[in-house]
Amino acid sequence: EIVLTQSPGTLSLSPGERATLSCRASQSVNFNYLAWYQQKPGQAPRLLISGASSRATGIPDRFSGSGSGTDFTLTISRLEPEDFAVYFCQQYGGSPPWTFGQGTKVDIK
Amino acid sequence: EVQLVESGGTLVKPGGSLRLSCEASGFTFNTYSMNWFRQTPGKGLEWVSYISRSSSVLYHVDSVKGRFTISRDNAKNSLYLQMNSLRAEDTAVYYCARNIETAMGGADYWGRGTLVTVSS
């Protein structure tokens, strides 16, 4: 089973600042099948990025994903008020189980 | 607009059974694989089960193997999760999600979830 470790646990930033979230895998992620999701309280997760760097439909270009192998990053170039949420990474596409990181909370400083 | 609506979550006693349903609309259901995920405050997000478009490929996470069964009815645009021998640790919000097109186990659209509570 691939274990994903996200850091930091909490990121306290102000609107307009840049957010950099990390996701590290215990072994190489097959074909870089790494997704990022955003979740707000009481809501379902929302796909932001798939395949490590492809933005999902309707996702603003301030969200970008990068990385390969075992190290991946989600960057939010300029935080908008609606971006304060919890972000999860997930590896998929290889053999199950497909696993998630524990999440990074981006909150308002 | 893609919509996924789960139902069937409730309070059930340990050892009991429950069947979750998910009604899909806004896309051609029989052209997508589907998943169930669950979420708890303690364990976070967890993939539970996967089913291919024609139901020919099924996967379940080890902790539910032999107890949960995923199925679908393409004529009814519906996904199901039969949950037997429920345990306290199965308590969670269960989400139905459409599988991403490129590979198994990722999800591009999620329902709002249904709460399953296993307690005596």
Side-chain angles (χ1 to χ4, degrees):
Chain A
E1 173 175 324
I2 297 178
V3 176
L4 299 181
T5 303
Q6 292 187 242
S7 61
T10 303
L11 200 50
S12 296
L13 294 168
S14 300
E17 288 193 296
R18 181 184 189 91
T20 303
L21 287 67
S22 173
C23 177
R24 178 162 290 177
S26 60
Q27 55 189 277
S28 187
V29 175
N30 241 353
F31 298 105
N32 294 328
Y33 283 138
L34 192 287
W36 289 94
Y37 301 90
Q38 176 194 68
Q39 188 176 32
K40 297 179 181 178
Q43 296 185 18
R46 173 194 181 199
L47 178 67
L48 299 175
I49 301 286
S50 64
S53 60
S54 298
R55 266 189 306 276
T57 303
I59 301 304
D61 61 7
R62 65 180 180 273
F63 290 92
S64 63
S66 63
S68 64
T70 60
D71 287 291
F72 300 89
T73 300
L74 174 69
T75 302
I76 311 170
S77 58
R78 288 176 56 86
L79 282 163
E80 297 287 340
E82 61 268 27
D83 299 337
F84 292 92
V86 180
Y87 293 84
F88 295 95
C89 58
Q90 183 212 9
Q91 61 85 20
Y92 62 98
S95 299
W98 302 298
T99 52
F100 290 83
Q102 80 279 19
T104 290
K105 183 178 183 181
V106 178
D107 67 13
I108 300 178
K109 189 173 182 180
Chain B
E1 180 194 3
V2 173
Q3 286 202 315
L4 298 165
V5 180
E6 302 94 338
S7 60
T10 189
L11 172 65
V12 61
K13 289 182 166 50
S17 296
L18 206 55
R19 188 197 200 202
L20 304 184
S21 299
C22 171
E23 188 171 332
S25 61
F27 65 103
T28 305
F29 183 69
N30 63 10
T31 65
Y32 284 87
S33 299
M34 298 293 294
N35 294 280
W36 286 100
F37 295 88
R38 65 185 178 184
Q39 186 172 30
T40 63
K43 282 196 71 179
L45 276 166
E46 182 180 37
W47 165 78
V48 176
S49 301
Y50 165 93
I51 186 167
S52 63
R53 291 172 292 183
S54 63
S55 305
S56 59
V57 178
L58 307 181
Y59 291 119
H60 297 85
V61 69
D62 281 353
S63 58
V64 310
K65 277 180 186 172
R67 301 188 299 122
F68 291 11
T69 303
I70 189 172
S71 64
R72 65 190 295 162
D73 185 336
N74 286 340
K76 294 182 177 178
N77 290 341
S78 292
L79 177 73
Y80 306 102
L81 186 67
Q82 179 65 44
M83 310 164 69
N84 298 330
S85 303
L86 281 159
R87 306 168 180 168
E89 54 265 34
D90 296 319
T91 295
V93 175
Y94 284 75
Y95 295 102
C96 157
R98 191 178 82 170
N99 199 84
I100 206 163
E101 286 189 79
T102 49
M104 295 182 293
D108 59 0
Y109 287 94
W110 299 58
R112 296 176 69 99
T114 187
L115 176 62
V116 173
T117 304
V118 184
S119 175
S120 53

